[in-house]
Structures are given as C-alpha cells and as structure tokens.
Amino acid sequence: MGDGVIELMIVTQDSIEQRLNFQKHGDQSVKLFIKEMGDSTNLRWNLSFDVGFFGRPFMLMMSMDKMIGPMYEKGLIKLKNVIENMKPSEPEIAIQEIQWDEISFVG
C-alpha cells in the first residue's frame, strides 16, 4: 500500500472506526465490528472507499481481502498476543483524610 496514515476515529464497546489515507489511494474507511461469543470473540471488518467510474470494472476482479487481509490478520495476531499476555492491573485508589478548620457562618 505504501506510506500513509491510520487515524482512529471512533471507538465504542463493540466497534472501531479508522480512517486510512495512503498517498496515491486517498481516504478509506475501515470499520471493525466486535462480538463476544462465549470464550471467543468474533471480529468482522469492512473497508470502504470511493472508486471512480473507470475503476469500477477493475474492482470486480480485485479482492480487497487478499490485498489487505494478510496485513489485518498479522495485526490481529499481534493484538491477540498482547491482550492474552496482559496482567490485570489493580486500580490505584488513594484515600486521604483532610482536616478542615472550623468556620462559623452567620447569615
């Protein structure tokens, strides 16, 4: 794909939306849909972008899954390894007792 930028646009409990911009390919939108299924997680992804009129016939013969799929598969494997090796962290809670000076209000 070449040099470009991936920008995280929206993150919700069950989806992630990214904007991809590769210099010669323009803006593309990627949506990841996450669904928990018992002990596993199902992830679906969708790539959308504008194709000019003359590019449409070529798109019928191209497989975006074959072009970009291996990159996403590699990234998902890395993500899975990171998540599975994460140690749960204890929340940091600090309780401090503060002494307030006595004040009388007259109203």
Side-chain angles (χ1 to χ4, degrees), residues 22-74:
F22 293 99
Q23 293 171 350
K24 61 182 178 179
H25 300 287
D27 281 346
Q28 303 167 17
S29 173
V30 175
K31 295 179 184 168
L32 305 168
F33 301 97
I34 305 155
K35 183 177 181 182
E36 290 189 35
M37 303 180 75
D39 292 341
S40 64
T41 303
N42 180 289
L43 181 96
R44 262 185 326 122
W45 64 280
N46 174 300
L47 172 69
S48 59
F49 54 93
D50 289 329
V51 177
F53 179 77
F54 293 107
R56 292 179 185 176
F58 297 106
M59 292 305 297
L60 294 172
M61 296 177 260
M62 294 176 66
S63 170
M64 295 310 288
D65 190 37
K66 287 181 182 176
M67 287 177 60
I68 298 175
M71 288 183 269
Y72 269 92
E73 192 70 32
K74 187 176 175 182

Side-chain angles (χ1 to χ4, degrees), residues 58-99:
F58 297 106
M59 292 305 297
L60 294 172
M61 296 177 260
M62 294 176 66
S63 170
M64 295 310 288
D65 190 37
K66 287 181 182 176
M67 287 177 60
I68 298 175
M71 288 183 269
Y72 269 92
E73 192 70 32
K74 187 176 175 182
L76 289 172
I77 289 168
K78 286 182 180 180
L79 178 62
K80 179 182 179 204
N81 289 333
V82 167
I83 290 172
E84 287 178 347
N85 292 315
M86 286 176 68
K87 294 179 182 169
S89 61
E90 293 291 324
E92 293 183 26
I93 300 174
I95 300 174
Q96 293 181 326
E97 190 172 323
I98 300 173
Q99 294 293 328

